Amino acid sequence: MEMYTDVLLVTANVGSLFDNVGEIESDWMREFFGTVQSHKPRFIALHFQEVGGKDYMVNMGHAENFFWNIESNEEMRDFDRVCTYVDNHFKNVDSFTALGSMYFIHKSLKNIYQYDFNVKDFKAVSGQNKYVGSLDEVTTVEKEKFLKNFWPDFKWSRKGFMRTRWIIHNQGLDLVNVHLFHDASNLIACNASPSIYSDNRQKALRYVINRISDSSYTPLPFFLFGDFNFRLDTLSLVQNLSTSAVVQTVKKDSSNEVEKIICEQKDNDHKVLLHIETKTFAYLHQAVFTEDNGRAILKYDKEISAFHDVITEEDILFPPSYPYSEDYTKPTQYMNTRCPSWCDRILMSHTAQDIIHRRDEGASNVVYNTMGPNVCMGDHKPVFLSFALKTNGH
């Protein structure tokens, strides 16, 4: 007999939540609980990146509070089992990832087991299981920080991945929290297509996929969700946006290094159409990123295409998830710091796509969207996937 279990997967880079303590957090919570209410899942997986924000040494206590506030909220009372993993052990520089994963199991969901990577077997889940600190000794999670020697030319940062493994009514799956490298400079990002940053992310993602598909454990369908930091093909996009413009490259006096790129409109009083610096990306017609959910620029979102052999994704019908203004009063506006991109994603193996139940044409029960589109959620809008998982069972 085919059964279904309603599942909600959410990924959220919450760095700016901790860097701007206060109003954003309560709105964030409200949007999250609203999403839970409207989709009524029986299993929820929340993957967080940049727990504690940039100033994590100061903010970690606040981060623990944040997890507790979600868990203890009245809205979550029907979820009687919770597994929380927060890597906040920042003193251990070699392994600190600032990743956090929370899993909620509804009281009506009976047959659910979690994998113990140490004894290589599944165990029934019960009660509240909370692991905060160093996760090195925790046997129900696998965590890895990307090694320094992978990317010798790059500033080493708290990027990596964390995996848990589950059986829901006889259906096994891996849930992997991922945080890949960002674009450090807009100027370098538009030097080549694909950019050097894009190449780095590709290497890292290939590494993660190989690690979770290797022969250490039986391969299972997997969902990878997190902040992939995927960026648009900046060089092609800039060429396209500036076709009818005069492009000036301003160099630093002493060296030959490019300091800024300015594209001016040929007529229209030479209005600046596009201004790019290391941490500035200001485009005059910002609406191109939001109109029709940014569909016109989706063709520049190319980073996943190298992985079509192993992973897939639901259609993107929402505007870029980053970098939104952190100004409370401008929840739908992007900051002029980076080119807006679909950084936050929920990707899956082809085998995982096969276990998503799809109703007949017309009524789609699979929803892939951003959370809080009209509310300030920080610089990243969380992204969620709601679907019914095919679970064979009794």
Side-chain angles (χ1 to χ4, degrees), residues 43-46 67 71 80-86 100-105 112-114 124-131 140 164 166:
F43 179 81
I44 301 172
L46 264 169
F67 287 101
E71 194 182 314
D80 59 355
R81 285 146 293 168
V82 185
C83 299
T84 304
Y85 303 94
V86 186
S101 300
M102 290 185 99
Y103 304 96
F104 292 89
I105 298 151
I112 181 155
Y113 301 89
Q114 196 184 2
V125 184
S126 60
Q128 321 286 316
N129 307 280
K130 204 168 191 172
Y131 305 99
T140 46
T164 54
W166 304 82

Side-chain angles (χ1 to χ4, degrees), residues 228-243:
F228 292 86
N229 262 312
F230 286 162
R231 303 301 168 100
L232 301 184
D233 177 346
T234 319
L235 177 62
S236 309
L237 175 71
V238 168
Q239 285 169 342
N240 187 306
L241 295 180
S242 61
T243 39

Side-chain angles (χ1 to χ4, degrees), residues 265-281:
Q265 290 177 336
K266 284 180 179 151
D267 39 25
N268 203 359
D269 293 340
H270 296 284
K271 213 178 212 174
V272 174
L273 185 65
L274 180 62
H275 175 171
I276 303 174
E277 292 182 36
T278 300
K279 291 189 173 169
T280 303
F281 189 98

Side-chain angles (χ1 to χ4, degrees), residues 211-222:
R211 273 286 285 105
I212 60 175
S213 320
D214 68 16
S215 53
S216 319
Y217 309 99
T218 314
L220 287 179
F222 60 81

Side-chain angles (χ1 to χ4, degrees), residues 9-12 14 45-51 60 67 83-89 95-103 114-115 117 129-146 158-166 173-180 204-205 207-209 211-213 217 221-228 345 347:
L9 308 180
V10 181
T11 180
V14 285
L46 264 169
H47 284 179
F48 297 107
Q49 303 81 39
E50 285 199 37
V51 172
M60 267 319 171
F67 287 101
C83 299
T84 304
Y85 303 94
V86 186
D87 174 18
N88 70 359
H89 191 49
S95 72
F96 175 55
T97 60
L99 293 173
S101 300
M102 290 185 99
Y103 304 96
Q114 196 184 2
Y115 196 67
F117 290 97
N129 307 280
K130 204 168 191 172
Y131 305 99
V132 178
S134 163
L135 304 176
D136 298 342
E137 305 302 313
V138 182
T139 56
T140 46
V141 68
E142 246 197 346
K143 188 198 73 145
E144 215 177 294
K145 179 170 178 163
F146 295 125
R158 48 189 193 284
K159 304 288 195 290
F161 69 95
M162 192 150 100
R163 149 164 85 159
T164 54
R165 172 167 272 210
W166 304 82
L173 51 125
D174 274 340
L175 300 176
V176 189
N177 188 348
V178 184
H179 194 188
L180 302 184
L205 184 52
Y207 174 78
V208 174
I209 293 169
R211 273 286 285 105
I212 60 175
S213 320
Y217 309 99
F222 60 81
F223 290 88
L224 294 171
F225 46 118
D227 178 2
F228 292 86
R345 313 279 275 258
L347 311 179

Side-chain angles (χ1 to χ4, degrees), residues 159-210:
K159 304 288 195 290
F161 69 95
M162 192 150 100
R163 149 164 85 159
T164 54
R165 172 167 272 210
W166 304 82
I167 288 180
I168 301 175
H169 281 304
N170 299 333
Q171 179 56 62
L173 51 125
D174 274 340
L175 300 176
V176 189
N177 188 348
V178 184
H179 194 188
L180 302 184
F181 306 94
H182 67 297
D183 281 16
S185 159
N186 294 322
L187 294 167
I188 292 173
C190 49
N191 264 346
S193 168
S195 77
I196 175 172
Y197 303 121
S198 173
D199 283 344
N200 270 335
R201 287 189 284 271
Q202 194 171 323
K203 240 189 257 175
L205 184 52
R206 191 59 76 180
Y207 174 78
V208 174
I209 293 169
N210 290 342

